[in-house]
Amino acid sequence: MTDQPVAGVALRTIDANNIRMRYAEAGSGPLVLFCHGWPESWYSWRHQLQAVSAAGFRCIAPDMRGYGSTDAPEGSDQYTLFHLVGDMAELVRALGETRAVIVGHDWGAPVAWHAALWRPPRPKFAAVCARSGLYATASPRRADYSPPRRSGVDQGSDLPTRSSPTDP
């Protein structure tokens, strides 16, 4: 891959949170950080990098921990939300910034949400734009709660499930 595989987007590497991270960068101005989903890379944000940077923002889209050319530490215990959020916070610091808008898609969405929840005041994630399937953090259920027992409902949640791709 070249240093500029997409017009106006440069690939760089940086040390952050004890790993070597590759990221794509475009534009200048206030920082917008893009977190990709599974099994993607920075490249899934290429169109947004061009459009948002043209609007006057500094756009950064890293290969998340374990993806693309970012280090992949051994052991599943190295891939918790704490590590992933820490990667984003340390990336912002390593870039010399103190605040960012953070955008997440798919698995990047809970990283973005938790970055805003867990990481004030430095760096400050000033806004979150995240899109994923429905997601809930782990929390104990009330003792008197029991999920509904209906056909077509996954008993682990209250969300309807499809039995085939053609079901409404």
Side-chain angles (χ1 to χ4, degrees):
M1 191 175 276
T2 66
D3 288 337
Q4 197 166 11
V6 175
V9 178
L11 294 180
R12 307 185 195 294
T13 57
I14 197 166
D15 291 320
N17 206 26
N18 299 314
I19 61 172
R20 187 97 177 132
M21 297 182 77
R22 178 176 71 173
Y23 64 94
E25 181 174 23
S28 62
L31 181 61
V32 180
L33 183 62
F34 293 90
C35 303
H36 66 76
W38 182 89
E40 301 170 335
S41 71
W42 74 267
Y43 192 73
S44 62
W45 293 108
R46 65 193 178 281
H47 301 296
Q48 291 81 4
L49 293 173
Q50 291 173 315
V52 175
S53 66
F57 294 89
R58 180 183 186 191
C59 298
I60 301 290
D63 282 341
M64 303 292 280
R65 175 181 289 247
Y67 293 85
S69 293
T70 291
D71 287 350
E74 294 211 19
S76 60
D77 63 332
Q78 298 299 301
Y79 294 86
T80 67
L81 270 174
F82 292 110
H83 288 88
L84 298 168
V85 168
D87 292 348
M88 297 305 100
E90 292 303 314
L91 175 59
V92 170
R93 285 190 188 111
L95 292 168
E97 300 283 352
T98 59
R99 62 186 301 124
V101 170
I102 188 166
V103 179
H105 165 70
D106 189 63
W107 177 237
V111 174
W113 297 328
H114 285 87
L117 288 170
W118 294 344
R119 283 305 187 153
R122 294 282 184 246
K124 175 72 173 169
F125 291 103
V128 177
C129 177
R131 175 62 181 113
S132 180
L134 294 175
Y135 172 81
T137 57
S139 64
R141 289 190 170 163
R142 294 188 344 233
D144 61 340
Y145 176 83
S146 63
R149 303 272 178 200
R150 298 187 305 262
S151 175
V153 173
D154 174 2
Q155 295 305 307
S157 72
D158 296 335
L159 304 176
T161 60
R162 291 177 155 184
S163 59
S164 77
T166 58
D167 284 350

